[in-house]
Amino acid sequence: MIMESNIKKEMNESQELIKEIKKKVYVNDEILNEIVPLLVSIKNKSYIGKRPPRGILFYGPPGTGKTLLMNTLVENLQLSKKLIIRGPEIISEYYGKSESRLRQIFAIAKELASEENLAIIYIDELDSIAPRRDMVRGELEPRLVGQLLTLMDGLESEEKNQDGHVIVIGSTNRLEALDPALRRPGRFDLEIEFFPPNEKERREILKILLKNEIKEKIGTPILENENDLDEIAKLTNGFTGADLLYLLNKTLLKITKENKKDITKEDLLSVIDKINPSALREFHIENPINYTKEIKNNDDLIKKIKTIS
């Protein structure tokens, strides 16, 4: 009976946490229902199973909310510190320095896990520090991949002798570029794909952005009519969350130049066509610029100069 009560309490906690997360970032419910209860159970020391996952892999097109979700998770789980590894920042020109930085971050994570039960290491652009070793020519990348594999494998043996759990969340836009050794069971056990939002999801993302990024921060009234949101969502096929934020910022810049105080549907519609949606870029064919007229004018000018001389 006590166990059932604790499970129900934890389920309620997870659902409340999901509601709070969705106020700040829109992510598919299926993704949230897979990740949030897992992290809550680890933090509460109630995970049912022999060993929680050591790694979660986020993958999908840029701008689909991978990094924003991680930041929001850390904040709402009330973890005291964000441990973020960004690929380009970890690289050092000095031999062994990059590997040393990785070891330092894992050491800090272990200390935090022993105090708070859970510590999250987030590796942004994972493919930049752990690319396929058979596709690179330099010495640094294979060393970094080897060091990361060793550190992740070392978590299991060390957790047997200490409290707390360290979980590594990696994100990549190019799943095929990752070293296959990272994806074997026992490392990144859980792989979650982030898709570009559909029309309904774009509408929800717009509502969140309009509230959090526009109304609360700037105070600019915008699109009070629900039908306007529907139309914008319909016309933004292929837009990711980052694209929608860019759309709003670009529109804000437009009305500032025009000395207007609020944004209308027409303002947004006039900007949409100027943005190339992230999810459709691989299908976008750019027409070459035709310089025939300029070349002809230059030829005519050269002839005139020769005639005068």
Side-chain angles (χ1 to χ4, degrees):
M1 196 72 179
I2 295 175
M3 183 178 289
E4 288 181 7
S5 175
N6 288 339
I7 291 173
K8 189 174 180 180
K9 182 180 177 183
E10 196 165 276
M11 287 175 63
N12 291 334
E13 182 183 346
S14 296
Q15 290 307 310
E16 287 300 315
L17 190 55
I18 287 172
K19 286 180 184 177
E20 288 301 311
I21 290 171
K22 290 181 73 170
K23 290 178 183 177
K24 300 172 185 177
V25 53
Y26 186 86
V27 179
N28 188 285
D29 286 346
E30 190 177 332
I31 291 175
L32 291 177
N33 286 324
E34 189 165 11
I35 296 174
V36 174
L38 168 66
L39 296 178
V40 168
S41 68
I42 294 172
K43 193 170 189 294
N44 292 343
K45 289 187 171 182
S46 58
Y47 179 78
I48 301 174
K50 187 177 180 181
R51 178 182 59 80
R54 271 180 281 166
I56 302 175
L57 185 61
F58 292 171
Y59 68 97
T64 47
K66 300 185 291 295
T67 302
L68 183 58
L69 174 59
M70 194 287 307
N71 287 328
T72 309
L73 280 171
V74 171
E75 181 183 333
N76 284 273
L77 284 165
Q78 298 181 338
L79 300 178
S80 61
K81 195 168 184 178
K82 284 193 288 190
L83 297 173
I84 302 178
I85 300 172
R86 292 183 177 89
E89 294 177 4
I90 204 77
I91 303 298
S92 172
E93 61 182 345
Y94 299 107
Y95 189 90
K97 187 69 175 176
S98 301
E99 297 94 313
S100 175
R101 287 173 178 170
L102 277 178
R103 290 194 296 271
Q104 287 171 8
I105 291 170
F106 272 76
I108 293 169
K110 290 168 191 172
E111 290 179 13
L112 290 172
S114 64
E115 296 169 4
E116 302 176 10
N117 297 333
L118 171 66
I120 297 175
I121 298 173
Y122 183 70
I123 308 179
D124 201 7
E125 299 180 43
L126 178 61
D127 52 280
S128 65
I129 67 168
R132 293 179 61 100
R133 284 172 286 185
D134 58 345
M135 300 293 286
V136 295
R137 295 181 179 179
E139 295 181 4
L140 177 60
E141 291 85 354
R143 295 204 317 267
L144 276 175
V145 175
Q147 181 67 86
L148 182 58
L149 294 174
T150 300
L151 289 167
M152 290 188 72
D153 290 343
L155 291 174
E156 182 175 20
S157 58
E158 291 177 18
E159 281 173 4
K160 294 176 182 177
N161 303 315
Q162 66 178 38
D163 293 329
H165 183 77
V166 177
I167 194 161
V168 182
I169 299 178
S171 76
T172 180
N173 304 328
R174 302 186 305 138
L175 189 63
E176 73 286 350
L178 288 180
D179 193 276
L182 283 168
R183 300 178 62 193
R184 76 158 177 77
R187 287 165 182 164
F188 285 99
D189 304 274
L190 184 58
E191 295 187 357
I192 296 177
E193 184 172 6
F194 285 66
F195 294 96
N198 59 32
E199 184 179 324
K200 180 183 175 183
E201 291 167 344
R202 290 196 298 275
R203 188 184 189 282
E204 294 303 313
I205 292 170
L206 279 167
K207 283 179 69 174
I208 293 170
L209 292 175
L210 293 174
K211 182 177 184 297
N212 296 345
E213 301 294 332
I214 306 297
K215 201 164 186 178
E216 288 185 0
K217 292 184 180 179
I218 303 172
T220 302
I222 177 170
L223 296 182
E224 298 296 337
N225 191 326
E226 294 287 317
N227 292 329
D228 290 346
L229 271 180
D230 291 335
E231 186 172 349
I232 298 299
K234 188 175 292 185
L235 292 171
T236 48
N237 184 39
F239 279 54
T240 63
D243 292 329
L244 293 171
L245 179 57
Y246 180 56
L247 170 64
L248 296 180
N249 287 335
K250 200 170 178 65
T251 308
L252 276 174
L253 182 60
K254 175 183 179 293
I255 67 164
T256 302
K257 289 179 179 178
E258 296 173 356
N259 202 24
K260 292 166 63 176
K261 292 184 178 179
D262 55 3
I263 298 175
T264 64
K265 179 182 74 173
E266 287 68 30
D267 291 319
L268 284 163
L269 291 174
S270 68
V271 174
I272 285 176
D273 290 339
K274 298 175 183 177
I275 298 174
N276 185 14
S278 296
L280 301 179
R281 281 178 189 166
E282 60 184 297
F283 306 108
H284 178 71
I285 299 174
E286 188 171 311
N287 292 323
I289 300 172
N290 190 340
Y291 289 105
T292 306
K293 186 176 179 181
E294 287 79 358
I295 293 170
K296 186 177 183 304
N297 290 340
N298 285 340
D299 287 343
D300 292 342
L301 180 61
I302 291 169
K303 287 177 183 178
K304 285 180 183 179
I305 292 172
K306 285 182 176 179
T307 303
I308 294 170
S309 60

